[in-house]
Amino acid sequence: MSSLRVPVPKTRDPFVNTPLLRIGPDRFWTSSWNATSGSTGVLVRADGSARTYRFPPPHAGFYSAAASGPDTLWLCGDLSRVVRLTLSTGRWEAFPTGADPGLVFQGMALDEESGKLLVVAFTGRTTDAVSFDTRTRRTVRVYRDVTPQHYLRASFPEDGGVRLAVETPETELLRWDPAGERLHRGGPAPEGAAERWRLLSERGPAALEGDPPAGTDGVRWFAGHGGLVYGARAGADHAEVLRWDLGGGAARALCRVPDADHFTLALTADGRRLVAVTRYGEFHRFDAATGRHELRTTLDTDAVGTVDCLVRLDDTTVLGTPFISQRFWTADLVSGRGTDMGRAAPGGGQITRTWHVGGKVYLAAYAGGELTEYDPSLPAGFPGNPRVVAAPPGAMRPVASTRYGSTLVYSATHRYGRLGCVLAWHDVRTGRSGHVDDPLPEQSVQSMHRVPGTAAILAGTARHADMSSRDPSAAPCRLVLLDAPGLAVRESVAMPHGADHVTVHGRLDATGWLCGIAGLPGGYRWFRADPAALAAPGRFLPLPDVITPEGLLPTGRPGLYVVRVEDRVELWDLAGPRRLRVLGTEPGVYRVAVQGGGVCLVTPGELVVLDGVLP
């Protein structure tokens, strides 16, 4: 056995989902998302000068921000706490709200008269809201189950109160009365309203009325000044900015901004300059009348991100993909040198599934379900290398994958708020691709393994939408056999009543597969399934408590699994079951990947590669 250690490479930190907030005439704030290193905040002026602010974990990001005067920002990324930042000194303080944790999106409301904040988030069970007094630094009230919608998107003042837009699966308005401390549901909102409410918060209720002009489908409006409204249409690796004259003129293309979307763009207070802090922390400035590019600077935003996927390219090189940055890196195991390789896929998101086939790497991407091909022997540079080889319509997050000969197969969830999934395939030999939409209505395939010696894939489904963004299907989850070539459903069997999802973990013995069910009384339940006689579980397996579905990795050999138990990584024979040996102990290990006869461990700062540890 041999062991190699190298630093996790730094990449450009991802500035996503946080609207570029104007503070005063020409200063702008945004922040990144990074659960490993902590969020990076940036305050940049229109002249390109900038200051960065570092927030250690657990402050992964702040999708909502509100300015209270020229020197104070209130930040929120999790419903359980808010953060006060003094821009001039860089000092910050976090205040617990008493609410359950929940990921907060854009649109936190700040009522200047009362000094109160209101923030809304889905906690995994209900959508709750917190009213927080910024003057006393205390929570005024926690509102429970305020709407069936999940994600806060925007807020704006209206008639002495505040309107808030909450989306997914539908869109609804809430009305908050800060003085009387009341929160009411306000009924459904028109389609596309959330894109307009950022304008409303800046310019008042008449900011954008009527239908946008022809040719602006897909444009999301982000700022306005003097009768002109600016919007962005996001592309694979850029945003096209359009300007629309509300006085009756047509919308016209103004400029293209690399690695941008409507969140990353803003106007100076005088309306003369368009500015951007892109997804990768680059600042751009344009003339808002002509679209002429005036300035570009690279901000200090490199950081180590959370590793999602690892691929061993050869004896000396590992490829990795960081969370939500849509980039990839390589690490040299001999020199320890890491390289940020740039974009891995179009749009925003991250790589969630990978294959190493024929010397090339295939990467399946959230948030569009695309599959890209990367050839390590050629210079890297999206969109040429990696290049898109499949783009199944309706797909969002790739969640399960397998391989059948030269064909790669993966399942991707539908968009937030929609049940079901898309099954996609790509033949690396012929270059042909295809997909099947919703093969099992309202069921999402969340795990899949090719059954050796057959043309079948054994799969398990879940009855919920991605991130629990819609109430689950009433139908039970199912164990499924798919025909590998066309992905047609050959056979399926319902799991016991109440089962939330069933997972096929890997082979257990020569003919049986280890599966597990979540949602039943007594916690996670293990069972053996035989593809030759597919059936609901007749009995459950009594595996040791240290075996958890989150810490289990199949090796491809029947019964042999790598198991993560806190900071220990162990090798088990689950057909026994018995622990064979401890492979490694690494403080803070959070990701494990099985690579041939070796195992890669990931800690917040290091890659630990253990070669020759698997039989």
Side-chain angles (χ1 to χ4, degrees):
M1 183 184 87
S2 62
S3 174
L4 295 170
R5 295 172 177 270
V6 297
V8 177
K10 290 184 177 181
T11 55
R12 302 297 294 166
D13 225 20
F15 287 80
V16 294
N17 289 336
T18 307
L20 192 59
L21 175 68
R22 189 178 70 225
I23 305 170
D26 68 345
R27 296 189 305 162
F28 301 86
W29 166 268
T30 188
S31 60
S32 73
W33 183 272
N34 191 321
T36 293
S37 299
S39 181
T40 298
V42 172
L43 183 69
V44 61
R45 293 184 179 274
D47 64 6
S49 60
R51 177 176 179 177
T52 57
Y53 304 77
R54 305 283 182 172
F55 301 87
H59 302 292
F62 307 104
Y63 287 163
S64 267
S68 180
D71 199 36
T72 301
L73 278 185
W74 287 93
L75 308 170
C76 191
D78 190 287
L79 195 64
S80 66
R81 58 184 179 268
V82 295
V83 170
R84 182 185 187 274
L85 170 67
T86 302
L87 292 169
S88 58
T89 66
R91 296 183 62 184
W92 57 270
E93 186 176 3
F95 301 94
T97 64
D100 292 336
L103 179 60
V104 171
F105 285 90
Q106 317 83 17
M108 174 175 64
L110 174 59
D111 178 62
E112 290 285 1
E113 184 173 343
S114 66
K116 293 178 183 177
L117 294 170
L118 189 82
V119 62
V120 181
F122 179 60
T123 66
R125 296 175 299 278
T126 58
T127 299
D128 299 343
V130 169
S131 173
F132 183 86
D133 192 322
T134 63
R135 295 166 184 167
T136 65
R137 315 289 200 266
R138 293 181 181 277
T139 295
V140 179
R141 182 174 174 182
V142 176
Y143 295 87
R144 307 287 186 186
D145 199 11
V146 297
T147 173
Q149 318 314 327
H150 286 67
Y151 308 133
L152 179 64
R153 290 303 187 193
S155 63
F156 60 95
E158 181 186 76
D159 299 331
V162 177
R163 287 281 188 184
L164 300 101
V166 190
E167 291 186 336
T168 307
E170 310 298 337
T171 302
E172 184 176 9
L173 288 173
L174 302 179
R175 177 177 171 81
W176 177 45
D177 174 10
E181 198 54 68
R182 292 184 294 271
L183 184 63
H184 305 285
R185 294 179 63 180
E191 183 179 356
E195 289 88 67
R196 306 181 182 202
W197 287 330
R198 188 175 174 195
L199 300 181
L200 293 174
S201 66
E202 295 178 356
R203 305 184 62 242
L208 185 55
E209 296 179 346
D211 294 326
T216 59
D217 292 345
V219 174
R220 304 185 74 172
W221 308 100
F222 63 85
H225 185 274
L228 300 172
V229 173
Y230 296 80
R233 181 189 286 118
D237 58 357
H238 70 277
E240 180 187 35
V241 179
L242 289 83
R243 190 174 75 167
W244 171 24
D245 185 345
L246 292 178
R252 69 176 183 88
L254 187 66
C255 59
R256 288 161 62 104
V257 186
D259 301 313
D261 58 30
H262 69 292
F263 286 132
T264 63
L265 299 157
L267 282 177
T268 55
D270 60 11
R272 298 176 60 188
R273 297 293 181 268
L274 172 73
V275 298
V277 175
T278 71
R279 171 178 295 275
Y280 301 129
E282 290 191 331
F283 175 78
H284 293 262
R285 189 183 75 210
F286 299 82
D287 185 301
T290 66
R292 181 174 64 89
H293 190 261
E294 298 179 335
L295 180 66
R296 172 179 176 172
T297 61
T298 299
L299 307 177
D300 177 21
T301 63
D302 284 2
V304 173
T306 300
V307 177
D308 270 344
C309 298
L310 286 172
V311 177
R312 187 77 176 266
L313 297 182
D314 52 40
D315 289 343
T316 62
T317 312
V318 174
L319 178 150
T321 66
F323 177 70
I324 207 67
S325 76
Q326 209 62 298
R327 293 176 86 81
F328 70 115
W329 50 254
T330 58
D332 189 306
L333 299 178
V334 177
S335 67
R337 180 174 176 267
T339 304
D340 184 342
M341 305 298 286
R343 266 191 177 273
Q350 74 269 358
I351 302 302
T352 63
R353 315 297 298 184
T354 55
W355 300 258
H356 191 202
V357 182
K360 297 178 181 179
V361 180
Y362 294 86
L363 310 105
Y366 163 84
E370 302 93 348
L371 184 71
T372 64
E373 177 190 81
Y374 169 62
D375 187 341
S377 69
L378 300 176
F382 182 85
N385 186 36
R387 66 186 183 96
V388 175
V389 294
M396 186 181 73
R397 188 194 308 272
V399 292
S401 61
T402 191
R403 178 183 167 191
Y404 175 73
S406 62
T407 300
L408 312 180
V409 179
Y410 62 101
S411 170
T413 59
H414 283 141
R415 292 281 172 180
Y416 296 117
R418 183 183 167 193
L419 298 170
C421 72
V422 176
L423 297 183
W425 60 268
H426 174 73
D427 190 319
V428 302
R429 182 177 55 85
T430 66
R432 295 178 61 242
S433 301
H435 74 281
V436 179
D437 192 14
D438 241 0
L440 295 112
E442 298 192 335
Q443 298 281 319
S444 173
V445 173
Q446 297 277 316
S447 60
M448 56 168 60
H449 294 265
R450 186 247 175 132
V451 180
T454 75
I457 292 171
L458 183 63
T461 76
R463 60 192 191 96
H464 54 75
D466 197 287
M467 297 294 290
S468 299
S469 56
R470 192 180 191 95
D471 288 340
S473 166
C477 59
R478 308 186 75 85
L479 201 59
V480 183
L481 271 181
L482 304 168
D483 276 320
L487 301 182
V489 176
R490 178 191 299 184
E491 187 178 353
S492 74
V493 60
M495 294 296 100
H497 177 74
D500 181 58
H501 63 263
V502 56
T503 301
V504 182
H505 290 281
R507 296 177 70 186
L508 187 60
D509 52 43
T511 59
W513 292 75
L514 178 65
C515 300
I517 300 177
L520 298 181
Y524 200 78
R525 311 297 297 273
W526 306 94
F527 70 98
R528 179 187 182 276
D530 186 344
L534 207 62
R539 66 183 185 89
F540 295 109
L541 302 177
L543 294 187
D545 290 342
V546 296
I547 308 297
T548 64
E550 298 82 12
L552 196 63
L553 286 95
T555 66
R557 299 161 179 84
L560 204 62
Y561 286 79
V562 173
V563 176
R564 179 163 59 89
V565 184
E566 297 179 343
D567 290 340
R568 294 195 317 279
V569 179
E570 304 173 346
L571 184 64
W572 280 71
D573 179 0
L574 293 184
R578 60 193 178 98
R579 186 178 70 178
L580 301 178
R581 61 181 178 272
V582 175
L583 301 179
T585 301
E586 294 295 330
V589 63
Y590 68 86
R591 183 82 68 238
V592 181
V594 175
Q595 304 281 329
V599 175
C600 294
L601 316 180
V602 188
T603 73
E606 275 192 321
L607 297 175
V608 182
V609 181
L610 307 176
D611 278 331
V613 296
L614 300 180

